[in-house]
Amino acid sequence: MLIDQTLLPERYEVIALGRVASVCEAIYMLRVRGAPALGVAGAYGVLVAVEEEWGGDGYFFDSDVERDDAAETRFDSFQRNASVEALRRRLSEMSEKIASTRPTAVNLGWAVARMRRVFESPWSNCSSMLTALQREADSILEEDIAMCRQLGEHGSTLLDDHVGVITHCNTGGLATGGFGTALGVVFAAAASGKAIHVFADETRPLLQGARLTAWECIQRDIPVTVLVDGAAASLLASGQVHCAIVGADRIAANGDTANKIGTLGLALLAKHHEIPFYVAAPTSTIDSGLATGDQIPIEQRPAMEVLQMGGRDIAPSGANAYNPAFDVTSHDLISAIVTETGVHRPPYQF
Ligand code: MRU
């Protein structure tokens, strides 16, 4: 079950995903999005693979589901017929599919790899494997919430009372297990009584800033102003913004950070206007296997996301589109990286 983020802010709708194909579709279409939320979705996606093959309708994992005769028959058949080896083979294939759906956010591959370690462990029967898988997915979710709460506390020390904060894309509860990273820092500061005004880049082309960040701020009574991405330069020149804070999809060992396309532009603007530029992310977003950001795979998205809006052409047919979903901000443009372990200053060592 997840909130379909493509429908916000017009509609709040929770959707149930019973097939791996729908999990992959939801990830690719950004019904669920944001690096930590992708990790959580990937982990539960592995459970969906089991359901699809042997359970059905949340039989194995949803305690609220009524166990009718048909479900009982399926479960009997699972117990009698499914071998640990067959289950492992199925999970391996499906995990591969889920993890490769979006390549940039390291959390997706990281969470699926954690699930893989569980199903590749030696198990004497399928039921114990399933119980362990469920426990691992729950831990990934709970750990994310705890990490985000902690990084929110650390990050809130960077924000003074009565400040303007610019952010890009959406990094709140929607993008995580439920608390938020960069926006979580704002939420923690606001909860401690500080007056923060959020300036949300609309975040072309899919408008995560306008649709989701503004929605989350409004839900929490935090004042928010939406601007088109191109207005960030003049906003910073106006002096209303005291710092920029963004999330991350993958952070290399030297601190280079991949985040939503447009982040690099904002970091350059922050440097020009001499305001701090902060990144906030749980350590699950750090890929210490990559020395620098040059090695981060950048997802390229379909041209129509740029050439159309609301189903209407906004460019003549025949025009090409440049549509990378992310860019990489060099570590030397980042004033600090906030994780659940604290506020890290350059040179970055995690
Ligand atoms: O394409 P998206 O919407 O998944 O991109 C999300 C971002 O770039 C976020 O800033 C990042 O994942 C951090 S979310 C806490």
Side-chain angles (χ1 to χ4, degrees):
M1 305 275 263
L2 48 85
I3 302 164
D4 185 343
Q5 298 186 34
T6 61
L7 303 175
L8 285 168
E10 295 96 326
R11 270 206 338 267
Y12 180 99
E13 204 172 297
V14 174
I15 51 173
L17 306 174
R19 309 181 70 79
V20 173
S22 13
V23 172
C24 294
E25 191 267 355
I27 291 174
Y28 186 72
M29 297 307 288
L30 277 67
R31 299 185 198 288
V32 56
R33 45 146 300 283
L38 289 175
V40 173
Y44 283 103
V46 174
L47 300 187
V48 169
V50 186
E51 285 283 359
E52 181 178 351
E53 184 83 356
W54 285 288
D57 305 328
Y59 183 82
F60 289 133
F61 302 111
D62 187 346
S63 50
D64 294 339
V65 161
E66 237 176 73
R67 304 190 159 197
D68 59 13
D69 287 350
E72 289 296 347
T73 311
R74 277 199 302 274
F75 188 58
D76 281 352
S77 146
F78 168 74
Q79 284 190 311
R80 270 184 282 108
N81 303 325
S83 71
V84 168
E85 209 27 63
L87 183 54
R88 198 174 273 139
R89 262 200 312 277
R90 162 91 185 155
L91 292 182
S92 182
E93 193 189 320
M94 293 298 117
S95 297
E96 201 63 50
K97 266 201 174 111
I98 295 167
S100 60
T101 308
R102 293 193 75 195
T104 303
V106 71
N107 305 61
L108 179 58
W110 166 86
V112 172
R114 275 182 61 165
M115 298 296 279
R116 179 179 286 280
R117 273 197 292 280
V118 173
F119 67 71
E120 282 183 350
S121 300
W123 296 104
S124 55
N125 61 65
C126 294
S127 297
S128 3
M129 191 204 283
L130 292 194
T131 309
L133 284 169
Q134 166 109 59
R135 202 171 299 136
E136 188 69 356
D138 291 345
S139 301
I140 288 170
L141 172 61
E142 283 154 23
E143 286 167 25
D144 182 68
I145 296 171
M147 286 190 287
C148 287
R149 275 191 194 286
Q150 257 189 322
L151 79 83
E153 291 304 321
H154 291 307
S156 68
T157 61
L158 297 169
L159 305 186
D160 291 332
D161 197 4
H162 296 286
V163 291
V165 175
I166 189 164
T167 190
H168 193 74
C169 198
N170 169 262
T171 58
L174 290 168
T176 62
F179 188 75
T181 59
L183 212 48
V185 167
V186 170
F187 296 158
S192 73
K194 291 177 186 166
I196 311 285
H197 192 111
V198 173
F199 291 92
D201 279 352
E202 67 169 350
T203 318
R204 273 284 284 150
L206 299 179
L207 308 178
Q208 291 92 328
R211 295 187 300 103
L212 310 175
T213 296
W215 184 79
E216 289 202 55
C217 288
I218 299 285
Q219 298 292 308
R220 290 175 179 253
D221 285 328
I222 294 173
V224 59
T225 300
V226 176
L227 55 142
V228 298
D229 299 349
S234 80
L235 176 70
L236 265 54
S238 77
Q240 297 176 69
V241 172
H242 302 86
C243 72
I245 182 158
V246 299
D249 283 83
R250 193 183 292 233
I251 302 174
N254 70 345
D256 291 353
T257 294
N259 192 50
K260 179 52 54 193
I261 191 73
T263 301
L264 171 59
L266 184 59
L268 290 164
L269 285 176
K271 187 174 181 75
H272 179 80
H273 290 284
E274 297 180 347
I275 66 163
F277 182 87
Y278 301 124
V279 169
T283 47
S284 53
T285 304
I286 298 172
D287 187 349
S288 36
L290 297 187
T292 72
D294 297 346
Q295 297 155 284
I296 298 176
I298 299 294
E299 177 185 5
Q300 301 294 323
R301 302 280 305 174
M304 50 79 66
E305 289 179 353
V306 169
L307 302 176
Q308 295 185 340
M309 203 176 228
R312 258 192 79 219
D313 288 343
I314 56 166
S317 84
N320 299 308
Y322 174 63
N323 192 19
F326 303 97
D327 55 27
V328 176
T329 298
S330 170
H331 61 279
D332 54 10
L333 294 171
I334 301 171
S335 315
I337 298 179
V338 187
T339 73
E340 75 278 10
T341 61
V343 175
H344 302 263
R345 301 277 179 179
Y348 296 109
Q349 272 165 345
F350 303 105

